[in-house]
Amino acid sequence: MIPEARAASTVNATFVRPAKFYLSGFSNMPHVKYYYVFLCFVYIVTVLGNSILLSVIYYVKTLHTPKYMVVFYLALTDICGSTALIPKVLDTFLFEKRYIVYEACLSYMFFVLFFLSVQSWTLTTMAYDRFIAICFPLRYHSIVTTPSIVALLLFSWVTLFSLVGFTVGNIDNLSFCDSLVVNSFFCDHSPVYRLSCNDSSINYTMASVAFIIILCIPLILITLSYVGISIALGRIASGEERLKASKTCTSHLILVAIFFLPIIGTNIASVVSYINPNARMINTSLTNTMPPLLNPIVYSLKTEEILIAIKKLVKRNKISFSAKKRLKS
């Protein structure tokens, strides 16, 4: 039975602070524990897959390029984003620790939203890299340099940190004087601020601004990049050269589809029609967990340079192991 928790403490005369929120999670869903076991499996494979990709890029010097620096950051963000979300979800629902302290809830919300936003803009940076590589191939190495990519990534991290921090921080301006049951599987922004009993228009505005900056603008920029890439490919006379150039974009396009389509689809569906809360939570959880799982798999299977690098590492380790074995014998 879900408790109708009440606000427990007051910080000042204006705002009422709850001691804790209650995460409702899935309601009346049979065999839900199997889903949490599945999320545990997803998390383990995500960490392993992305750790392998990080190691390959780190140890193989031929991959120390601006392009693979972005891939490195994406893999790192995938691990951080999954770690921010999945272990806490498992702890909350597998061990029935559904109450979460107010401050912990806001921290939880911040890290999940921050790493989600970083993933989005890292994919945009990858689109920029592909756009310059195909549309301005002769100037690629002078435009896409290590300092320029580091500057882009740092700028996006700092900007998104500020944006998400301000969006989450505005919840401190709300009072919670009725139900404290969050109808989600984590401390999501919208379900939390909608529980407030005072004016939350600024929170709605910030949620809209964040949605535009985190999802809409990156998707528009990526689309424009590929429009430019398509035009550039159309100007290449040789069909073989055109195919070779387009192959360098395949991995990125798959990652973009995996990341953006479920999020945009879920948001559009929730606006135009009613979605069962359990279905919405499953969609949201898969949207947050599946891209980090699939990203290293896609890059390992669809990128020739990564496959060659993995083979080199395996061969190098075999030689090293054989040499050590001979020395011992």
Side-chain angles (χ1 to χ4, degrees):
M1 185 175 176
I2 296 175
E4 286 293 314
R6 296 274 169 178
S9 59
T10 306
V11 172
N12 53 44
T14 310
F15 304 116
V16 179
R17 299 282 182 273
K20 296 177 180 179
F21 286 110
Y22 181 87
L23 298 173
S24 67
F26 300 101
S27 58
N28 301 318
M29 186 172 164
H31 311 299
V32 70
K33 288 199 173 181
Y34 292 115
Y35 184 67
Y36 298 132
V37 172
F38 166 73
L39 288 182
C40 182
F41 170 77
V42 166
Y43 177 66
I44 292 167
V45 176
T46 297
V47 172
L48 284 173
N50 283 288
S51 297
I52 290 168
L53 186 58
L54 288 172
S55 301
V56 170
I57 295 170
Y58 181 79
Y59 285 111
V60 179
K61 289 185 179 180
T62 55
L63 298 180
H64 292 184
T65 62
K67 175 185 174 181
Y68 286 104
M69 182 187 293
V70 183
V71 177
F72 187 92
Y73 273 91
L74 181 64
L76 184 64
T77 305
D78 286 342
I79 292 174
C80 293
S82 295
T83 302
L85 179 66
I86 299 177
K88 183 61 181 172
V89 169
L90 299 178
D91 182 56
T92 300
F93 299 108
L94 280 180
F95 301 102
E96 291 298 325
K97 297 178 182 177
R98 299 191 181 215
Y99 283 99
I100 183 168
V101 176
Y102 175 79
E103 291 80 7
C105 183
L106 296 194
S107 298
Y108 189 12
M109 182 191 302
F110 170 82
F111 285 109
V112 172
L113 296 180
F114 172 66
F115 288 117
L116 182 75
S117 62
V118 170
Q119 286 171 5
S120 176
W121 276 94
T122 305
L123 287 170
T124 309
T125 307
M126 291 167 81
Y128 166 75
D129 172 82
R130 292 299 82 208
F131 173 76
I132 300 297
I134 293 172
C135 296
F136 306 98
L138 299 178
R139 296 176 59 195
Y140 175 76
H141 293 291
S142 62
I143 297 172
V144 182
T145 61
T146 298
S148 69
I149 289 297
V150 169
L152 268 175
L153 292 170
L154 281 177
F155 176 76
S156 65
W157 276 59
V158 171
T159 304
L160 294 168
F161 188 92
S162 304
L163 172 68
V164 176
F166 186 70
T167 303
V168 173
N170 261 303
I171 288 179
D172 261 343
N173 296 325
L174 299 176
S175 289
F176 299 88
C177 37
D178 197 7
S179 171
L180 299 177
V181 178
V182 179
N183 293 314
S184 185
F185 63 97
F186 79 104
C187 287
D188 201 356
H189 184 258
S190 179
V192 171
Y193 86 74
R194 290 177 191 276
L195 295 174
S196 66
C197 54
N198 61 336
D199 182 23
S200 61
S201 57
I202 184 68
N203 300 86
Y204 174 79
T205 302
M206 280 309 303
S208 302
V209 170
F211 179 77
I212 291 167
I213 292 174
I214 292 169
L215 292 173
C216 297
I217 292 176
L219 190 57
I220 290 167
L221 291 175
I222 290 168
T223 304
L224 290 174
S225 296
Y226 276 99
V227 168
I229 287 169
S230 299
I231 293 168
L233 289 174
R235 290 173 181 166
I236 297 173
S238 168
E240 190 179 332
E241 287 294 318
R242 195 183 304 127
L243 182 63
K244 188 179 175 182
S246 62
K247 273 185 177 179
T248 64
C249 303
T250 307
S251 300
H252 181 251
L253 278 171
I254 293 170
L255 299 187
V256 168
I258 290 168
F259 182 83
F260 284 101
L261 291 181
I263 295 178
I264 301 294
T266 301
N267 279 279
I268 290 171
S270 63
V271 171
V272 300
S273 64
Y274 170 78
I275 299 179
N276 180 279
N278 286 343
R280 179 178 56 79
M281 280 186 266
I282 287 174
N283 284 344
T284 306
S285 62
L286 291 176
T287 296
N288 281 275
T289 57
M290 293 310 288
L293 169 72
L294 297 172
N295 287 352
I297 297 170
V298 169
Y299 249 92
S300 299
L301 295 177
K302 297 296 292 182
T303 308
E304 193 177 345
E305 288 165 296
I306 295 284
L307 282 172
I308 292 168
I310 291 170
K311 286 173 186 175
K312 276 184 182 177
L313 271 182
V314 171
K315 191 177 179 182
R316 190 192 304 170
N317 288 335
K318 276 183 180 178
I319 293 167
S320 177
F321 180 74
S322 299
K324 283 178 183 177
K325 207 172 180 182
R326 284 195 209 99
L327 286 170
K328 284 180 182 178
S329 58

